Amino acid sequence: MPDAAPVPFLPPAVVERFGIRVLDPVSAVPLSTGQAPRPTAYLGDRLLVRGLPGGAREDLVKRIDELLSDLDIELLVEAGDD
């Protein structure tokens, strides 16, 4: 069994103000592989990804960009608090 990642905690006031949603792997639909998706927080048209080591982050951003380009969607990466 893979390591369980913690579900992101965001202060309720922030969640309400920005309409942030949190994907909880326990209640989410499993992936086609049968595995639970990794927890994440998202904001409408944004995907917030935190806590990935440098190499993993670069690989993930590259893969997301490839998937989005197939849909003719541009990926914009903003610097965050590393």
Side-chain angles (χ1 to χ4, degrees):
M1 176 178 210
D3 294 333
V7 174
F9 171 79
L10 300 164
V14 172
V15 170
E16 183 177 333
R17 179 174 179 191
F18 295 103
I20 296 171
R21 302 171 110 197
V22 176
L23 176 71
D24 181 355
V26 173
S27 61
V29 174
L31 301 173
S32 61
T33 61
Q35 294 178 307
R38 307 268 304 168
T40 191
Y42 56 98
L43 173 63
D45 61 351
R46 297 173 188 246
L47 176 64
L48 310 174
V49 180
R50 296 185 54 174
L52 296 173
R57 178 178 44 220
E58 292 170 13
D59 291 344
L60 178 62
V61 168
K62 181 179 176 185
R63 181 67 181 131
I64 291 172
D65 190 38
E66 290 169 355
L67 293 169
L68 292 177
S69 68
D70 291 344
L71 301 172
D72 211 17
I73 299 173
E74 181 182 7
L75 174 66
L76 301 174
V77 179
E78 296 180 5
D81 298 331
D82 290 333

